[in-house]
Amino acid sequence: MTESLQIAQLGNPILRQQAQSVDNLSDQKLQQLIDKLMTTVVSESGVGIAAPQVSQSYRLFIVASRPNLRYPHAPVMEPTAMLNPRIIAHSTEMVKDWEGCLSIPGIRGLVPRYRSVEVEYTDQEGQLQRQELTDFVARIFQHEYDHLDGIVFLDRVESTQEIITEQEYLKRIG
Ligand code: ZN
């Protein structure tokens, strides 16, 4: 069984770095990193995790939406590794919703994101994929994408009054 990785917490400079592109997909270490990220996102009840969050500054993240203790209403999808992701196009419409982050435990913030994004990425097998993502999954993508550029969700919250504790958040969503 693959072990979980330790999560870098807010304040760790790795979370503020620009991550570098992944270029050698056949690298055994890279495939191991993907597997460990998959294990870690599930064990930590996340819906996404980016490589910089485990102190690996590469343009790679996992999107793994499914209902769990931290996100009881998340839609179900196959966990997907996205390498060198890009946003090709996006809706003009933005929506605000609550986000959290494994690197910022216990805190939620209301974050505006594009409702839909057209994205491109290389998958774990090295195939280029193009997809249109909407709503919650589009939100996860944009959150994880920000991690690759050293941005965390708190940077995008419009008012400090829209930052609450996880305990209060769970009360609100019922
Ligand atoms: Zn995060």
Side-chain angles (χ1 to χ4, degrees):
M1 188 173 151
T2 317
E3 85 257 43
S4 280
L5 297 164
Q6 195 167 14
I7 311 275
Q9 309 266 295
L10 183 67
N12 187 321
I14 194 110
L15 294 173
R16 295 313 200 167
Q17 281 175 22
Q18 183 84 15
Q20 57 177 312
S21 298
V22 177
D23 51 14
N24 189 4
L25 244 176
S26 52
D27 185 345
Q28 197 63 31
K29 283 211 176 96
L30 183 67
Q31 293 292 336
Q32 280 170 6
L33 174 61
I34 293 171
D35 291 344
K36 284 182 185 173
L37 283 168
M38 294 262 191
T39 307
T40 306
V41 74
V42 172
S43 69
E44 300 289 335
S45 296
V47 289
I49 191 168
Q53 290 184 272
V54 296
S55 302
Q56 301 290 321
S57 197
Y58 292 108
R59 302 190 78 78
L60 146 66
F61 56 69
I62 312 291
V63 176
S65 178
R66 58 187 190 99
N68 61 39
L69 286 173
R70 292 177 64 247
Y71 296 93
H73 306 302
V76 181
M77 65 173 280
E78 247 342 272
T80 307
M82 300 183 177
L83 288 72
N84 300 327
R86 294 196 305 135
I87 296 176
I88 308 274
H90 59 76
S91 60
T92 47
E93 188 191 355
M94 298 191 84
V95 279
K96 275 167 94 170
D97 205 352
W98 295 103
E99 292 185 18
C101 181
L102 295 175
S103 297
I104 309 170
I107 298 289
R108 297 293 168 117
L110 259 189
V111 183
R113 300 281 187 193
Y114 299 118
R115 178 182 284 284
S116 62
V117 284
E118 189 182 348
V119 304
E120 205 171 71
Y121 60 89
T122 302
D123 68 18
Q124 194 169 0
E125 279 78 45
Q127 301 294 315
L128 191 65
Q129 301 285 345
R130 189 180 273 225
Q131 275 179 345
E132 169 118 8
L133 308 176
T134 56
D135 296 318
F136 191 67
V137 178
R139 176 170 297 278
I140 299 171
F141 184 99
Q142 291 169 82
H143 175 117
E144 302 310 332
Y145 186 86
D146 272 352
H147 276 303
L148 308 185
D149 292 330
I151 298 166
V152 299
F153 78 89
L154 291 174
D155 301 335
R156 297 201 184 273
V157 169
E158 291 172 330
S159 158
T160 50
Q161 303 210 13
E162 294 176 336
I163 299 172
I164 64 175
T165 66
E166 182 147 310
Q167 205 176 0
E168 285 295 321
Y169 160 79
L170 290 171
K171 268 195 234 168
R172 285 183 196 208
I173 63 165

